[in-house]
Amino acid sequence: MKIQKIEEEINQLKIHLAFLEKCLVEIQQNCDHHFKRNQYYETCIKCNKVNVLYY
Ligand SMILES: [Zn+2]
């Protein structure tokens, strides 16, 4: 594989990753959360959003 080709693919994947992260954030912002609590964090069973309860 040529360097240029690798860099091109990395950039395309970065763009795709940014798109996916944006989708995830949008879903989590619009989710009617249903949290399941653990000792240290709670996780939404619908969208997998995690809130840390104690530091
Ligand atoms: Zn949720």
Side-chain angles (χ1 to χ4, degrees):
M1 244 186 185
K2 283 185 178 171
I3 298 287
Q4 258 187 335
K5 177 76 182 154
I6 292 172
E7 284 179 342
E8 199 180 295
E9 274 200 37
I10 288 172
N11 279 330
Q12 282 173 355
L13 286 169
K14 278 181 182 170
I15 291 167
H16 190 56
L17 187 64
F19 169 76
L20 289 176
E21 281 174 344
K22 197 172 151 248
C23 286
L24 190 61
V25 166
E26 264 178 36
I27 290 169
Q28 290 181 332
Q29 276 175 351
N30 293 318
C31 179
D32 176 25
H33 298 304
H34 186 95
F35 287 110
K36 192 178 172 192
R37 282 186 73 149
N38 185 299
Q39 192 177 356
Y40 302 107
Y41 56 88
E42 56 185 8
T43 310
C44 175
I45 59 168
K46 291 178 178 176
C47 73
N48 273 357
K49 184 178 170 63
V50 176
N51 285 333
V52 177
L53 300 172
Y54 307 109
Y55 294 92

